[in-house]
Amino acid sequence: MSERSFVSVVEWLSGLENPLGESSPSLTTPPPNPTGKYHHPLSPPESRKRYASMATDPDLTPKRRRVALPAGHHLEGTPRANSVRDGIPNLPTASPSRSDRSESWSESQASGRSSPLKRMVAMELAPNGLETKRMESGDPGMPSALAQFSSELDMCSIGVGVISDTLQEALQQDPRFRHCLPFMFASPADRDQYGPTPSLDRVDSLVKKSVRCQDSQQDESGWNMLVHCPLLEQALDNIETQNQSIGFEPCTTAKIIQEYLPTGFMPKMVDFCMYVDIGTDKATRDVSKRLRQELPCGVINHTEFHALRQRPITVSIETKTPRGAQPAAAELQISTWHAAQWRLLEDLVARTGGSFVDLTFLPAVIVNGDEWSFAATTREEQNTVLWLEKKFGSTNSHHGVYKTVWGLQRLAKWSIEVYWPWYRKNALGLCDG
């Protein structure tokens, strides 16, 4: 079309009326081109050309592009073993070990892909290994001191004498406390020698929290925070006998010192530990300080946990949830923890020339949701024997809480009257006081 014809068409279009009354874009005559030539639009940049060609060529689209990688590498960025086609099968990578006291699948991976039951079997076969027995009072292999303590907890599990009779009248009239039987009560002189009896209001609060945790399927840390820790506080606070105090520490991150871990045992942890306070006696504190200067990690225990660095551990407590624990998980943790503790004590006794005549077992508590059970370990030559397991209390009823408190207070009394005198004489080498 000539330039003159183009101008005529533009003039004709400009003269048309807009039947819709809408504004039309203005049409203007393009400026005359002095060269008489018209230019095509500029070509798109090279990047657009490549994109357009990729859109029309299926072999060049982003989804089909392949990046050349060295053998054994993949696009995810994680190096992998060569495939079976290269002559070497893919090997699973080991999961990193975890510090939490749960027997998770990844922890099993790190410890040889084995369940707690399989680990227990492996520990039975290890040098200085493990043996498991049921806590039967007639077993001739059970130390007499352990048999006696077990019998006391049998009475506790029935509920004999677990409540001071100063509360009897109030409990009999309170509808929250059912099945109020005379044998549950004892005189203050008998009952409160172990520690104070908690009020019904405090017991009722623990029962409600326990039921709530059970109904909501709370995890282990929730149980520890809401039920187990307040119960331990209620049972152990303000207990002092013979000017010696007892306490407990949450210690879910406490690791066993490597020097005390027996061969073939994987490191394990527990949730709480009872301890005795070494007190203010100068001789005791001086010897304890000197030992800490010589022992691994500068601590008096088989764990480097800071809060327990100068407080000898007496009773270890492992907690689990009813739905979250694998079979034998708690037993595995207690047996490993105690095996390391026995090795520490043997080292201390070897330094002082002492003996284990007056210390024949180490006590433990296994908590499974709302059920509290007693366990213990003994030593036969260099092997650890785990004695399982005697239920003594619960938190799903008021009567059960009173039994649990009494059982914990009985363990505290053992810590002060049996463990501490033995420890002071045979581990610290102090014969006086």
Side-chain angles (χ1 to χ4, degrees):
M1 178 184 295
S2 67
E3 182 177 346
R4 184 172 183 178
S5 300
F6 177 79
V7 172
S8 299
V9 171
V10 171
E11 290 176 349
W12 176 76
L13 290 173
S14 300
L16 292 178
E17 295 182 359
N18 188 349
L20 298 177
E22 297 175 354
S23 61
S24 301
S26 61
L27 298 174
T28 59
T29 303
N33 189 340
T35 63
K37 298 180 181 180
Y38 289 89
H39 297 281
H40 296 289
L42 295 175
S43 299
E46 287 299 317
S47 60
R48 294 186 183 179
K49 286 184 178 181
R50 286 196 300 269
Y51 185 83
S53 64
M54 287 165 57
T56 57
D57 188 346
D59 292 330
L60 295 177
T61 57
K63 290 185 178 180
R64 291 178 174 266
R65 284 184 294 169
R66 294 291 183 266
V67 179
L69 294 174
H73 289 261
H74 295 261
L75 285 174
E76 291 81 1
T78 303
R80 298 183 182 178
N82 292 328
S83 66
V84 176
R85 288 176 295 180
D86 298 325
I88 303 175
N90 284 325
L91 299 176
T93 56
S95 302
S97 61
R98 299 171 63 179
S99 62
D100 77 327
R101 300 144 352 42
S102 65
E103 296 298 323
S104 65
W105 184 85
S106 62
E107 184 178 5
S108 297
Q109 292 288 95
S111 61
R113 296 179 173 275
S114 58
S115 67
L117 278 173
K118 291 181 179 179
R119 289 301 309 163
M120 295 279 282
V121 172
M123 289 161 61
E124 290 175 358
L125 302 176
N128 306 329
L130 172 71
E131 183 179 357
T132 303
K133 294 184 178 181
R134 301 304 302 177
M135 195 177 294
E136 301 291 344
S137 57
D139 192 319
M142 182 185 295
S144 58
L146 178 57
Q148 174 61 33
F149 197 92
S150 174
S151 297
E152 292 185 41
L153 289 181
D154 281 335
M155 301 302 290
C156 172
S157 67
I158 300 171
V160 176
V162 296
I163 307 172
S164 173
D165 62 13
T166 57
L167 298 176
Q168 184 170 0
E169 183 177 354
L171 293 181
Q172 287 174 336
Q173 297 175 359
D174 197 308
R176 294 174 296 177
F177 193 82
R178 294 173 290 179
H179 311 298
C180 191
L181 302 175
F183 68 80
M184 299 176 182
F185 300 92
S187 68
D190 292 331
R191 166 60 184 88
D192 294 341
Q193 64 172 311
Y194 303 104
T197 304
S199 68
L200 181 58
D201 287 340
R202 293 189 175 184
V203 169
D204 186 61
S205 175
L206 288 169
V207 172
K208 289 178 179 177
K209 290 178 181 178
S210 177
V211 171
R212 190 175 76 200
C213 286
Q214 190 82 341
D215 291 345
S216 64
Q217 300 183 21
Q218 183 61 264
D219 63 11
E220 184 177 317
S221 62
W223 275 95
N224 285 347
M225 182 182 299
L226 294 171
V227 181
H228 305 329
C229 192
L231 176 57
L232 287 164
E233 288 177 341
Q234 187 63 54
L236 302 178
D237 278 2
N238 303 317
I239 290 183
E240 186 172 325
T241 304
Q242 300 174 355
N243 298 320
Q244 195 68 47
S245 61
I246 190 84
F248 79 97
E249 287 288 349
C251 55
T252 56
T253 60
K255 298 179 180 179
I256 295 174
I257 296 172
Q258 189 65 34
E259 285 84 344
Y260 301 122
L261 189 66
T263 303
F265 285 50
M266 299 296 295
K268 297 295 175 184
M269 293 173 281
V270 295
D271 291 276
F272 300 94
C273 283
M274 286 191 202
Y275 64 84
V276 288
D277 195 314
I278 63 174
T280 58
D281 177 69
K282 185 177 185 304
T284 303
R285 298 187 72 85
D286 288 347
V287 172
S288 176
K289 183 177 181 179
R290 177 177 55 79
L291 274 176
R292 289 179 58 199
Q293 292 170 344
E294 300 173 0
L295 293 172
C297 302
V299 296
I300 203 70
N301 289 303
H302 60 291
T303 173
E304 58 183 311
F305 190 66
H306 188 72
L308 295 170
R309 65 192 182 280
Q310 57 184 0
R311 295 167 167 174
I313 294 171
T314 63
V315 182
S316 303
I317 303 172
E318 172 59 26
T319 69
K320 294 294 179 188
T321 58
R323 297 174 178 84
Q326 297 184 36
E331 292 88 339
L332 175 62
Q333 289 172 256
I334 286 294
S335 57
T336 304
W337 184 263
H338 269 192
Q341 186 175 1
W342 279 113
R343 295 192 73 184
L344 163 70
L345 296 177
E346 288 166 353
D347 177 40
L348 296 178
V349 168
R351 293 167 183 258
T352 64
S355 75
F356 286 93
V357 172
D358 296 323
L359 184 73
T360 56
F361 70 94
L362 289 177
V365 175
I366 296 176
V367 187
N368 188 7
D370 57 17
E371 294 186 352
W372 291 64
S373 300
F374 171 70
T377 59
T378 58
R379 291 288 268 182
E380 291 184 3
E381 296 181 352
Q382 296 301 308
N383 293 331
T384 302
V385 181
L386 175 64
W387 297 86
L388 295 170
E389 152 186 11
K390 189 175 293 293
K391 180 180 175 182
F392 66 89
S394 68
T395 55
N396 60 11
S397 69
H398 299 82
H399 190 204
V401 171
Y402 279 115
K403 291 189 289 185
T404 306
V405 168
W406 188 95
L408 291 171
Q409 291 176 341
R410 180 65 185 91
L411 286 165
K413 187 177 179 66
W414 175 90
S415 299
I416 293 174
E417 296 185 353
V418 176
Y419 186 86
W420 176 243
W422 173 88
Y423 185 91
R424 195 172 186 278
K425 176 181 178 180
N426 296 278
L428 300 183
L430 296 171
C431 297
D432 58 316

